[in-house]
Amino acid sequence: MRVGIAADHGGFALKEDLVGRLRAAGHDVVDFGADTLAPDDDYPDFVIPLAQAMATGTLERGVAVCGSGVGASICANKIPGVRAGLIHDHFSAGQGVEDDHMNVICIGGRTMGSSVAWDVVQAFLAAEGSQAPRHLRRLSTVTLLERQPTRTNRANDRHRARPTIDRHHPHAFDRRGPAGQIGAPGHTDGAGAVRLHALEPRDAFRSGGSPLAQPRSVRAV
Ligand code: RB5
């Protein structure tokens, strides 16, 4: 199988170990770096090219390693067509492919030993995506989100970084963000200088037309 792999300094040693194991197992490995251990390097510089290759179909699967796997998974999932999962166990490594069509596995070089990492990578590579209608339906809903980035972003942008004057704190900014962030209604920072308001997610969906806001019966399958 053609497998891409990438790591920053936090995942470098584990990546080197996995490259050796993958090649010994007969896989065609494309190594996106880092090529050397550089304590100041940044995971996006290696994970983005891996994710882009995954999205364009030049790889069958991807392995992204950073210190925790968190940054790698956040980064890889920004590329449409990539379904990256942060994995710590054998079950999720296989089921993530079967049920969710995960195509990039993210692991932490500082959280996982090489034997366990090799076990989850093998489970990931051995699994195949389910074609069951319920799994394809969920995948379709997720894919629809990727096809509406402009509308969704516009809806979100309308509610972000909108400076207003607070008559009680005339020098304050009113920054709006999604519900659940710091910025619940009435939130103030320590000095009371910044006041943030939360929006209900449905407000953004209403104006952005997200498929998740539609009744289940009319969602695409
Ligand atoms: C790098 O020190 C570390 O922050 C990075 O590898 C990763 O763990 C981020 O999620």
Side-chain angles (χ1 to χ4, degrees), residues 10-64:
F12 182 78
L14 182 55
K15 173 180 77 72
E16 294 296 290
D17 182 87
L18 289 173
V19 167
R21 292 180 189 255
L22 285 163
R23 289 195 170 130
H27 293 288
D28 177 12
V29 179
V30 183
D31 188 344
F32 289 83
D35 296 330
T36 57
L37 177 59
D40 202 29
D41 67 12
D42 301 323
Y43 60 81
D45 295 338
F46 312 106
V47 174
I48 290 172
L50 164 73
Q52 288 172 329
M54 191 70 237
T56 55
T58 57
L59 301 171
E60 292 169 83
R61 298 280 167 87
V63 180

Side-chain angles (χ1 to χ4, degrees), residues 8-11 43 66-72 110:
D8 69 350
H9 58 281
Y43 60 81
C66 64
S68 62
V70 173
R110 293 172 179 159

Side-chain angles (χ1 to χ4, degrees), residues 124-163:
F124 165 65
L125 297 179
E128 294 187 5
S130 160
Q131 299 302 308
R134 68 185 184 285
H135 296 137
L136 296 180
R137 181 180 68 234
R138 293 160 195 164
L139 184 61
S140 161
T141 304
V142 173
T143 303
L144 272 176
L145 278 175
E146 292 181 339
R147 292 187 184 156
Q148 302 192 338
T150 308
R151 295 177 67 193
T152 304
N153 289 345
R154 258 194 268 122
N156 289 338
D157 288 347
R158 270 201 291 278
H159 304 295
R160 227 181 260 136
R162 185 170 12 169

